Amino acid sequence: MKLIHVHGFTELQPESLITNQYRKFAKKLHWNLEIQEFKWKTLEGNPTKIVANFHESECRIEEVAPRLAEVIAAEKDEVILSGHSLGGAILLEALERHPNFSNLHSVILLGAAYPQKNTLSQIQKITPQCYALNYHSPKWDLVLNQVYFNAKGCVAIGTNGLLNPGIFENVKVNCTHDGYTGYARLIPGIIELLAHPQKIQSPEKANKPWQPIAIGNTEDWDDLHYLDGHIVQRNCITGYFRVIEEGGVHRERFYSKSVIPLLEAIAKLPK
């Protein structure tokens, strides 16, 4: 199995932080997951030219998307696709042009810089075996909320989610656009979501709840996944994960340093 991550605008170093985090936490789980960064030519985000450089980089989406599609089609094994920012836009364009890949394990969008108003008709034909998740940040991602909006004059799906998500699940988080306060901080939980269907085990255990929790995404918690009426969340301060019930005032079900035991605990709850 291979994970292919498409980096975003201004990612000029040999490997982006998000790809590095995927590699780090897959290794921590002893998961033999091959990880590849799909490199494309972008520009430095010079503050005095950021809008012009953004537009020039965005113009490359049309030429880069077919190349990404070729890379995916050449893979014989299952493929996990991940795209951050403009990388998410490239990924969506590739899937819109070629939605019939038979080897898709999952698709992960992280703050995708793609117009919310666009109608993605063909992408609803994709058939990932496990997940299709669109992580979007309505409040904290000022790059999308302000710079992208000013440059494009429209809202990004990385801000308010897909209008017609279809196969995708819109998942609200509180991430900035880069660095360790950005989408990279979600990667430990995302890797464990991806690893769980592969029967990867974790040494951690699910602990019982310790305090009443009022539902409503506070600024300390990121949503990671909705499952069977429960939400798996990550605390951006402590790094702990928890399972809570959707809606109302309730007690959180379990917490742990790992997502995998929480998913297993959810599976054992009465339906």
Side-chain angles (χ1 to χ4, degrees):
M1 183 179 292
K2 177 183 279 190
L3 186 149
I4 300 173
H5 176 67
V6 189
H7 65 78
F9 173 50
T10 77
E11 296 282 4
L12 301 175
Q13 60 269 44
E15 185 171 275
S16 68
L17 174 60
I18 289 177
T19 299
N20 181 267
Q21 291 292 90
Y22 275 128
R23 196 181 308 283
K24 174 182 176 181
F25 287 97
K27 183 178 180 180
K28 187 175 180 180
L29 282 178
H30 305 288
W31 184 13
N32 187 26
L33 175 66
E34 185 179 355
I35 296 171
Q36 172 188 340
E37 180 157 282
F38 178 83
K39 301 298 292 185
W40 61 283
K41 190 176 181 181
T42 182
L43 295 170
E44 183 177 358
N46 186 323
T48 63
K49 301 179 180 179
I50 191 166
V51 173
N53 287 357
F54 171 81
H55 278 305
E56 187 172 341
S57 290
E58 188 186 41
C59 288
R60 297 179 181 150
I61 293 173
E62 295 292 322
E63 65 184 63
V64 174
R67 184 161 61 88
L68 174 60
E70 291 176 1
V71 169
I72 300 168
E75 292 297 329
K76 304 301 182 185
D77 297 325
E78 288 182 292
V79 177
I80 298 165
L81 301 177
S82 168
H84 172 240
S85 192
L86 278 182
I90 292 169
L91 177 51
L92 285 169
E93 284 290 338
L95 293 176
E96 183 72 1
R97 293 163 183 254
H98 304 279
N100 299 316
F101 293 117
S102 60
N103 58 342
L104 287 184
H105 176 283
S106 296
V107 179
I108 308 294
L109 299 174
L110 302 162
Y114 195 87
Q116 188 191 45
K117 64 184 179 183
N118 280 24
T119 301
L120 294 165
S121 57
Q122 296 302 308
I123 203 169
Q124 301 305 340
K125 297 180 181 179
I126 67 171
T127 54
Q129 297 178 28
C130 292
Y131 303 108
L133 304 173
N134 175 47
Y135 291 97
H136 63 101
S137 182
K139 294 182 180 180
W140 283 23
D141 193 338
L142 299 183
V143 171
L144 289 184
N145 287 347
Q146 297 180 10
V147 179
Y148 179 87
F149 183 82
N150 291 337
K152 296 285 292 181
C154 62
V155 175
I157 65 170
T159 300
N160 287 353
L162 289 150
L163 281 176
N164 299 297
I167 191 70
F168 278 88
E169 179 180 313
N170 283 325
V171 187
K172 187 168 64 175
V173 294
N174 293 311
C175 296
T176 65
H177 206 69
D178 54 18
Y180 284 100
T181 61
Y183 297 87
R185 78 185 189 199
L186 304 177
I187 300 305
I190 291 173
I191 272 288
E192 293 188 354
L193 284 175
L194 296 169
H196 186 246
Q198 308 307 309
K199 309 300 182 185
I200 302 294
Q201 299 297 312
S202 168
E204 300 292 335
K205 294 183 179 180
N207 297 290
K208 296 292 184 177
W210 74 90
Q211 61 182 351
I213 296 294
I215 191 65
N217 195 14
T218 70
E219 292 189 352
D220 289 341
W221 293 93
D222 292 308
D223 293 351
L224 284 173
H225 184 49
Y226 299 88
L227 181 64
D228 294 336
H230 299 270
I231 307 173
V232 178
Q233 293 185 310
R234 178 189 183 276
N235 188 284
C236 62
I237 307 298
T238 67
Y240 269 88
F241 299 94
R242 72 180 183 184
V243 173
I244 61 174
E245 298 173 33
E246 293 186 78
V249 177
H250 57 279
R251 288 184 176 274
E252 57 189 310
R253 287 289 196 171
F254 307 100
Y255 71 99
S256 172
K257 289 184 178 179
S258 174
V259 169
I260 292 173
L262 300 185
L263 296 177
E264 293 172 348
I266 292 174
K268 295 176 183 177
L269 290 173
K271 302 300 181 185

